[in-house]
Amino acid sequence: MRNATVAALIYEFLFDVYRLIDAERGHNEWLPDEHGVVREAFYHSYISCWEWSTSMLEEVGATKTLRLPHTKQDPNRSSPYSYPLMNLDQCRVADFSGFETFDNYCYAMFTFYQLIGQTSGREDEVNLAVRSPQFLETVASKDDVFLIEDIHCVKFRRDRFEEKVMTRWREMQHRIFRRKDCA
């Protein structure tokens, strides 16, 4: 069994946040953080792949949720806005070893699978144009749920994903992304 690290998947999620912030630059909201500093916000639109990935990014300290000013917020629902706390270089060298568990890997890979479905046009083909430049080296070549056909074509192996990730996913009593010492 070959698995990408949770850290490599975290990097991909943060890369995606920056990619989407850049793509929506003319339409992004600018909201005050907890100190009143106005931040360009990432809006996950309550779409699961981005909602789940930003919750992981917040858990590891890579992003922070922005509370909506002047609105009564449902205490059972997180704000859809967040902003990065670290840049991609900081994320690349950050120590996420406290999150390297198989359950967290399954949680992250399940989320990544949703992201691939949201961002890829062809069935089971990863849209490399929206992945980080290090995706091939740090994720696809390290994980047996991916098949690298060439540097321009990476396929997602659904059968391997089902066997490895979804088998564990269905067994998990609590599907929570958390630090090892909280398990």
Side-chain angles (χ1 to χ4, degrees):
M1 180 180 330
R2 294 181 309 116
N3 301 334
T5 63
V6 171
L9 293 168
I10 288 167
Y11 182 88
E12 289 300 316
F13 294 137
L14 187 60
F15 178 87
D16 199 52
V17 165
Y18 275 109
R19 179 186 70 80
L20 292 169
I21 286 173
D22 287 344
E24 295 295 317
R25 179 124 302 127
H27 307 284
N28 291 338
E29 299 268 349
W30 289 78
L31 300 170
D33 67 12
E34 64 279 10
H35 304 292
V37 176
V38 177
R39 307 282 184 168
E40 186 174 17
F42 171 69
Y43 178 58
H44 66 51
S45 308
Y46 295 106
I47 296 173
S48 6
C49 63
W50 290 298
E51 190 172 6
W52 287 38
S53 65
T54 55
S55 73
M56 280 186 279
L57 290 170
E58 181 160 4
E59 184 67 26
V60 302
T63 64
K64 183 144 180 120
T65 298
L66 288 163
R67 302 288 170 223
L68 296 175
H70 311 297
T71 61
K72 185 175 180 179
Q73 196 155 331
D74 181 345
N76 299 317
R77 192 170 195 186
S78 182
S79 167
Y81 295 97
S82 62
Y83 68 96
L85 289 174
M86 60 176 59
N87 64 38
L88 292 172
D89 289 335
Q90 292 167 325
C91 184
R92 185 180 2 265
V93 299
D95 179 8
F96 297 121
S97 60
F99 295 93
E100 293 291 347
T101 66
F102 188 65
D103 284 358
N104 280 347
Y105 162 80
C106 289
Y107 190 101
M109 188 53 78
F110 179 84
T111 305
F112 198 68
Y113 169 71
Q114 291 179 327
L115 186 61
I116 289 169
Q118 189 72 31
T119 60
S120 295
R122 298 181 187 170
E123 189 172 318
D124 296 334
E125 191 170 314
V126 178
N127 181 355
L128 296 176
V130 297
R131 300 285 45 95
S132 80
Q134 63 186 48
F135 170 76
L136 279 172
E137 179 185 338
T138 62
V139 178
S141 69
K142 304 283 191 241
D143 203 301
D144 57 8
V145 301
F146 296 100
L147 174 64
I148 301 173
E149 292 189 346
D150 63 45
I151 62 168
H152 304 290
C153 184
V154 174
K155 298 275 178 118
F156 187 82
R157 295 181 51 212
R158 231 179 263 241
D159 59 333
R160 184 63 182 132
F161 174 77
E162 280 290 325
E163 176 185 37
K164 179 170 69 169
V165 176
M166 292 309 294
T167 297
R168 177 62 188 140
W169 183 257
R170 290 179 189 103
E171 295 169 348
M172 292 167 69
Q173 290 182 351
H174 302 285
R175 295 179 184 141
I176 301 169
F177 186 88
R178 59 184 167 201
R179 186 173 286 284
K180 281 183 205 179
D181 55 11
C182 295

